[in-house]
């Protein structure tokens, strides 16, 4: 079974400084990985996805993530944080099972706080 | 605009009452999902449907029921058997077929117990 570990439950940065949200995954085969963002009392929005093409994936709002198979990591970064980036971020691995179809396995989430 | 809508935004349930949460999508997606979100626990899968007139239990299906009579709609009923229903409920959809797919989420319904 696949699993995801988000290494920090909370991250705090100052506006204009870089953001790093860490994610490690466990998978028995080549995974598909996603990052979602959730603002308070809202649904989840897809930030970016990795599906075995380029290892550096660019997403919306200036975010990007790098797939590193040797480290089983898929960390999310942004060069310069904006106040509107304050939200909870979920790292997700997808597995396709014949009996379940497309199943997403969610990390526990990282809350990003941006200080002015 | 294509997307997923959920209603109501807030729902109050009295003890012993069944309540139904609505989920509609116009993305022409075959697959639809219901998740429950509790603070600090991430998302847990309740039910999913890969195609019309077919659905399967997820990881925490007890106390819930669903139907999939139309491609666009996947309502979730929280029954009186669900003893701890207070949570944020999220509906999602994705393309069907083989292989991993991104899921697209609705805005959620917050269920509270009176």
């Amino acid at each position: 079974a696949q699993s995801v570990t988000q290494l920090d439950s909370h991250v705090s940065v100052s506006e204009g400084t870089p953001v790093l949200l860490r994610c490690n995954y466990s998978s028995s085969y080549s995974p598909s990985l996603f990052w979602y963002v959730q603002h308070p009392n809202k649904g989840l929005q897809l930030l970016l996805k990795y599906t075995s093409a380029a290892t550096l994936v660019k997403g919306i709002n200036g975010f990007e993530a790098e797939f590193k198979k040797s480290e089983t990591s898929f960390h999310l970064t942004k060069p310069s944080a904006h106040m509107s980036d304050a939200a909870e971020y979920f790292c997700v691995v997808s597995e396709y099972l014949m009996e379940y179809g497309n199943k997403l396995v969610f990390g526990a989430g990282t809350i990003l706080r941006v200080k002015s | 605009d294509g997307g997923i809508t959920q209603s109501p935004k807030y729902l109050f349930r009295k003890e012993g009452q069944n309540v139904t949460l609505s989920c509609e999508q116009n993305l022409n997606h075959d697959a639809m999902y219901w998740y429950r979100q509790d603070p600090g626990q991430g998302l847990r899968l309740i039910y999913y449907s890969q195609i019309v007139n077919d659905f399967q239990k997820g990881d925490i299906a007890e106390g819930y029921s669903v139907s999939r009579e139309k491609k666009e709609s996947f309502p979730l009923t929280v029954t009186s058997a669900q003893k701890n229903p207070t949570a944020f409920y999220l509906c999602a959809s994705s393309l069907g077929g083989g292989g991993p797919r991104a899921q697209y989420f609705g805005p959620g319904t917050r269920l509270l117990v009176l």
Side-chain angles (χ1 to χ4, degrees):
Chain A
Q2 303 190 82
S3 66
V4 172
T5 302
Q6 292 185 241
L7 300 170
D8 307 290
S9 60
H10 293 79
V11 169
S12 183
V13 301
S14 297
E15 191 175 19
T17 66
V19 175
L20 170 64
L21 304 183
R22 299 182 295 163
C23 173
N24 287 350
Y25 69 91
S26 172
S27 175
S28 57
Y29 52 90
S30 183
S32 287
L33 294 157
F34 309 91
W35 276 99
Y36 285 85
V37 60
Q38 184 180 33
H39 289 88
N41 294 310
K42 302 291 185 183
L44 276 70
Q45 181 183 21
L46 180 66
L47 274 180
L48 50 82
K49 57 183 178 181
Y50 167 77
T51 54
S52 76
T55 56
L56 183 62
V57 182
K58 293 188 183 299
I60 62 172
N61 300 335
F63 285 94
E64 62 182 36
E66 186 171 9
F67 174 73
K68 292 187 176 180
K69 187 175 181 179
S70 61
E71 299 176 10
T72 62
S73 69
F74 189 57
H75 302 335
L76 182 70
T77 60
K78 183 174 181 177
S80 176
H82 191 272
M83 295 298 291
S84 60
D85 295 327
E88 188 164 16
Y89 292 79
F90 293 94
C91 183
V92 180
V93 63
S94 174
E95 57 181 349
Y96 184 80
L97 305 170
M98 286 301 295
E99 65 272 30
Y100 289 114
N102 176 35
K103 183 174 184 179
L104 299 188
V105 178
F106 287 81
T110 298
I111 294 174
L112 176 64
R113 179 186 170 210
V114 181
K115 298 175 290 186
S116 59
Chain B
D1 283 340
I4 302 176
T5 58
Q6 290 186 243
S7 62
K9 187 172 182 178
Y10 295 95
L11 186 58
F12 298 91
R13 192 189 93 163
K14 297 178 182 178
E15 190 172 342
Q17 184 182 38
N18 292 352
V19 293
T20 297
L21 285 63
S22 170
C23 177
E24 304 276 334
Q25 55 98 359
N26 62 4
L27 300 168
N28 201 31
H29 284 167
D30 285 314
M32 297 186 73
Y33 313 82
W34 274 105
Y35 293 90
R36 171 179 171 142
Q37 186 177 28
D38 296 279
Q41 294 195 41
L43 275 70
R44 294 182 288 169
L45 183 65
I46 305 172
Y47 267 97
Y48 62 99
S49 168
Q50 295 190 66
I51 199 166
V52 175
N53 293 322
D54 185 53
F55 50 83
Q56 287 81 36
K57 294 181 179 180
D59 301 319
I60 56 164
E62 185 175 351
Y64 300 96
S65 66
V66 294
S67 63
R68 186 87 189 275
E69 298 177 0
K70 297 187 299 181
K71 186 176 184 176
E72 304 80 19
S73 177
F74 191 41
L76 173 74
T77 296
V78 183
T79 74
S80 57
Q82 173 50 246
K83 298 306 180 187
N84 184 23
T86 297
F88 192 48
Y89 291 85
L90 289 160
C91 179
S93 70
S94 73
L95 292 170
R101 308 282 192 187
Q103 292 179 16
Y104 297 88
F105 286 80
T109 292
R110 188 165 296 280
L111 178 59
L112 301 164
V113 177
L114 294 176

